[in-house]
Each structure stands twice: as structure tokens, then as C-alpha cells.
Amino acid sequence: TDPSRMSLKKNYLLAYNAALVFGWALVLTVTAKACITLGPKHVYENVEVMLLVAQTAAVMEVLHAMFGIARSPVLVTAMQVSSRLMVVWGVLYVAPPSRAAFLPLANVGGVDLGLGLPSLLFAWGVTEVVRYSYYFFKLLGTVPHVVTWMRYTFFIVLYPLGVASELFLTYSGFPHLVSTGALSYPMPNPYNISIHFPSIVVMFFLGYVPGFPMLYMYMVNQRKKVLAPRKAKRA
């Protein structure tokens, strides 16, 4: 293998991961600031551009897997990225009611906690800052133990929180998708093809039924392997 090509690939991946650590940290910071100063209903208008950029940039991960730039399974990577893009572009971007939807679950110190855009961005943001930091340090050759621990521990709470938030926001924006016909292509038309976007959304998220338990258990098993005591690993 050409050393210069390897060096170029490594530097590119370092820059890519560092940029996304910064991007998602910015999403988290702006989300928190908007929640505190303006209220949860004003989060989207403040975070929209950086959210769209940070999440759409993940398309590159599918290309990295396809062309062997990074060792990741193409299908799994494509599924994970497409589900995020569906929420960002197929729900939040085209269905404004989803942006301010909120399902209260608890009240702590006079503050309502529940599912909505803030919970989604908190789950996604923390997950991605940790994940891209892990990849960044791995490229350098040594991952700090605390980063590894966060990578294989935070998902226990953040993954279910993220999925629950995704499904709730999709449910909240669904009537708007139906009533406006957003992203649909009804008949008659020159191509004689009918596309009903709400049906696509339903079928897409039905995939969460088998997909979520499989991916969650995969991460649980990975956690056992990675965080196992060294003596147990030798055995």
C-alpha cells in the first residue's frame, strides 16, 4: 500500500471526524441555549442549518464504507444514516408541527421533561460527539478509556431516548404530511407513477420494530467484549 495514500486517507478521516465532533457539539450548545433563553418551541429555528449540515454529512460514512475508506458494513451504515435523514429531511424539514411537538413524561424541579426535538437533539448530539471522538482517537492509535466507556455505555439510555423521540416527532408531523401532500407525487402525471410519501414514512419506520432490538443487542454484546476485564479477555 502506498504510504502517501494511507497518510492522505488518515488525515482526511481525522479532519472529517474532528469537524463532526465540532458540528454536533455546536448543535448541542445551540439547542441548550435556545431551550434556556427562548424555550423548546424555538429550538428548531435556531439549530436548523447546523443540524441539516451535521446530519447530512453522515452520507459520507456510507461512501467511506462503500469504497473501503473506513471498515464499516455498508448495509448497516446505510440503514442508520437513512433513518436519521428521514427524520431530519422527511419529517422536521417538511412538517413544521413536528418541530414544536412535546410529550411530557415527568416534572423535575418545576421543569417538564419529555419527548420532543430537545430530547432528540440531546440523544443524537451526545451520541455523535462521543462516537466521532472515539473514531478520531482510534485513528491516532490510542483511545482514552473514558471515551471508550462513554461510547459503549451512554447508548443504554440515549439509543432508546433517540428512537422514542424520532417516532414521536414523526407521529406529530404525520397529519401535516398527509394533508399537504409534501414530497408526494400523485397521479395523473407524465411518468404515470404515484408516490405517496406518508406511506413510505410508515413502511420506513415499521422497520424499527425488528431493527431497534437487533441493533441494541448488538451494542450490548459489543459492550461486554470491549469493556470486559482484561483477565476475562485473556481467558
Side-chain angles (χ1 to χ4, degrees):
T1 306
D2 185 354
S4 62
R5 184 178 296 179
M6 288 295 292
S7 178
L8 181 64
K9 182 176 80 170
K10 180 178 178 179
N11 289 334
Y12 161 71
L13 288 175
L14 282 170
Y16 174 80
N17 288 305
L20 283 169
V21 168
F22 174 78
W24 281 106
L26 193 60
V27 169
L28 274 174
T29 303
V30 173
T31 297
K33 184 179 178 181
C35 274
I36 294 168
T37 59
L38 303 171
K41 291 184 178 180
H42 296 281
V43 167
Y44 186 80
E45 63 198 56
N46 285 274
V47 81
E48 179 182 35
V49 174
M50 59 197 77
L51 171 62
L52 293 175
V53 170
Q55 188 51 66
T56 305
V59 170
M60 295 304 298
E61 292 184 47
V62 182
L63 299 179
H64 294 165
M66 287 176 63
F67 294 106
I69 297 174
R71 290 181 292 178
S72 303
V74 179
L75 184 59
V76 173
T77 303
M79 287 173 60
Q80 292 174 329
V81 171
S82 62
S83 68
R84 292 283 196 89
L85 292 177
M86 176 64 84
V87 174
V88 167
W89 289 103
V91 178
L92 292 170
Y93 187 74
V94 298
S98 65
R99 304 170 188 173
F102 183 71
L103 178 65
L105 298 177
N107 186 286
V108 179
V111 178
D112 286 327
L113 301 178
L115 300 180
L117 184 58
S119 66
L120 177 79
L121 297 183
F122 172 74
W124 283 7
V126 174
T127 297
E128 297 301 60
V129 167
V130 171
R131 185 168 71 93
Y132 287 117
S133 295
Y134 177 84
Y135 294 156
F136 180 85
F137 285 114
K138 196 171 183 180
L139 284 164
L140 292 178
T142 304
V143 182
H145 178 73
V146 66
V147 175
T148 301
W149 184 87
M150 289 189 293
R151 164 89 168 124
Y152 290 99
T153 302
F154 283 5
F155 81 91
I156 295 171
V157 173
L158 295 180
Y159 191 19
L161 177 62
V163 169
S165 300
E166 290 171 31
L167 294 176
F168 171 69
L169 293 177
T170 301
Y171 171 81
S172 301
F174 193 77
H176 182 86
L177 296 177
V178 174
S179 63
T180 61
L183 301 182
S184 292
Y185 192 54
M187 296 275 280
N189 59 66
Y191 303 102
N192 212 30
I193 296 173
S194 177
I195 298 175
H196 187 243
F197 187 65
S199 298
I200 295 175
V201 171
V202 170
M203 289 187 289
F204 192 90
F205 284 101
L206 280 175
Y208 277 41
V209 177
F212 170 71
M214 288 172 58
L215 286 172
Y216 192 79
M217 290 312 300
Y218 170 77
M219 286 299 294
V220 169
N221 290 329
Q222 286 295 106
R223 184 178 193 274
K224 291 177 181 176
K225 293 178 183 177
V226 175
L227 298 183
R230 291 181 180 179
K231 290 182 180 179
K233 285 183 179 179
R234 291 197 195 101

